[in-house]
Amino acid sequence: MSSILATLLPFSSNIRQPKRQASPLPTNPFALQESSKALPYLTVFAPLNLKSRTTRSSHREGPSETHSLTFSAPSPFPANLYNATVVYETNPETQTVVSVSVPTGSDSKKRKTPEALRQWIDTRLENPLLKLDVSTLCWGINRYWECSVTRARLWAHIDHKYGNQALSGNKDPLPENENGTITMSELRRLVPHLNRSTMAIKPKLSGLGPRVLLSITLVLDDWTGEPQLRPEISVSLTGADRKIDHETKKLFHALLREGGGDLATSGVDPVLRATEGALGALFGGL
């Protein structure tokens, strides 16, 4: 009101009128800032390498930004060993996510996405409550890789102790280095087990003993994206009844419960102890 009254005064022509500042462009909270694209920033809380690309366009409905996030295996693993791309479209004016997709086109063969992870992604994209949740989708892709490496260490340890690796004198690859890095010798033993979900085990010095099938299924929680390990064991022995199989399973799951129960947080240690305990009782008693 005071500015309007001032225009009526005789000296109002000498008053400088304030310049109108142009309205700033709408910010997009979903876009990665330049400072956040540095490699140290991206790898602090996530294990995978990340490449991002943003394209902008304008439609009748308003401006649009399409963001492409490509996750790949970190060094020293080959980058094409594990690969997933998340594409999401946003509206910078309304600051909303419009759509989310994970490409499966002609170049899908180049993307090494495990089948279990692919099924989890498809389930989320088909759910109307979860299909726009980009953060949990990316979180699950990263956590699946972490748990795959952990499970591979377990498989490599079991293969070393009960498989052909035990006779060749190779070093047990289960322990990690203090700084968490993986050496090239460890890499060669882990890579064959990354997507393994089952392993057949039999006595090293005899082909006539029981045959054990150990399975460790890796699944992601539909809502949180947290990995879960679901181990099972079964025994096949020619000429024997099902009691041996039943007792081995009973011992295996009892040892699992003693080890902590929640395999999502306690890792593979309970699985390792349960497996060694069941196999020790089985092979030692036959």
Side-chain angles (χ1 to χ4, degrees):
M1 180 65 70
S2 60
S3 61
I4 296 176
L5 293 174
T7 59
L8 303 177
L9 298 176
F11 47 83
S12 62
S13 59
N14 297 327
I15 299 177
R16 292 185 178 181
Q17 298 295 329
K19 294 182 179 180
R20 285 189 177 182
Q21 295 182 352
S23 300
L25 295 175
T27 58
N28 187 354
F30 306 103
L32 292 176
Q33 303 299 320
E34 290 297 328
S35 60
S36 70
K37 295 181 181 180
L39 185 59
Y41 179 92
L42 296 175
T43 56
V44 168
F45 303 107
L48 296 174
N49 290 336
L50 171 62
K51 292 182 179 180
S52 63
R53 182 169 56 89
T54 299
T55 58
R56 296 175 175 83
S57 59
S58 181
H59 305 287
R60 181 181 304 174
E61 297 80 7
S64 173
E65 290 185 354
T66 301
H67 307 273
S68 176
L69 305 178
T70 300
F71 299 93
S72 59
S75 178
F77 293 96
N80 61 353
L81 188 64
Y82 183 90
N83 194 294
T85 298
V86 177
V87 178
Y88 61 101
E89 182 183 353
T90 62
N91 186 325
E93 285 189 343
T94 59
Q95 298 185 353
T96 57
V97 177
V98 178
S99 65
V100 180
S101 63
V102 178
T104 57
S106 59
D107 59 343
S108 60
K109 294 182 179 179
K110 300 178 183 179
R111 297 191 177 93
K112 300 296 183 179
T113 305
E115 183 61 28
L117 176 61
R118 181 73 239 184
Q119 293 177 357
W120 176 79
I121 292 174
D122 291 341
T123 299
R124 288 188 62 87
L125 296 180
E126 293 171 359
N127 190 321
L129 298 178
L130 305 175
K131 64 181 181 179
L132 298 181
D133 186 1
V134 181
S135 58
T136 304
L137 187 64
C138 297
W139 174 259
I141 292 173
N142 279 269
R143 292 290 285 137
Y144 189 96
W145 166 259
E146 284 184 314
C147 202
S148 294
V149 175
T150 303
R151 182 180 60 172
R153 288 184 180 277
L154 173 61
W155 286 130
H157 175 79
I158 295 175
D159 189 33
H160 174 269
K161 188 169 184 177
Y162 299 99
N164 296 330
Q165 298 293 328
L167 303 178
S168 61
N170 288 336
K171 182 181 177 182
D172 188 351
L174 185 64
E176 295 187 40
N177 295 330
E178 293 182 358
N179 57 0
T181 60
I182 297 176
T183 64
M184 292 305 297
S185 60
E186 290 175 323
L187 179 66
R188 287 192 292 270
R189 290 189 287 272
L190 291 179
V191 168
H193 299 294
L194 279 174
N195 292 321
R196 177 187 289 273
S197 59
T198 61
M199 178 179 288
I201 307 169
K202 58 184 179 180
K204 294 179 292 186
L205 302 179
S206 174
L208 302 178
R211 184 179 179 89
V212 178
L213 181 65
L214 178 65
S215 66
I216 306 177
T217 306
L218 198 171
V219 297
L220 293 175
D221 185 89
D222 288 342
W223 289 88
T224 66
E226 283 296 319
Q228 299 174 354
L229 294 177
R230 297 177 179 175
E232 291 292 341
I233 195 171
S234 60
V235 181
S236 174
L237 182 62
T238 304
D241 56 27
R242 302 301 300 172
K243 184 177 180 180
I244 295 178
D245 177 58
H246 175 74
E247 292 298 324
T248 302
K249 289 181 178 178
K250 184 178 178 181
L251 174 61
F252 180 76
H253 287 285
L255 293 173
L256 276 179
R257 289 191 295 271
E258 289 182 3
D262 187 2
L263 300 180
T265 58
S266 56
V268 298
D269 286 344
V271 182
L272 179 59
R273 288 193 294 269
T275 301
E276 291 182 336
L279 294 180
L282 180 64
F283 293 153
L286 291 174

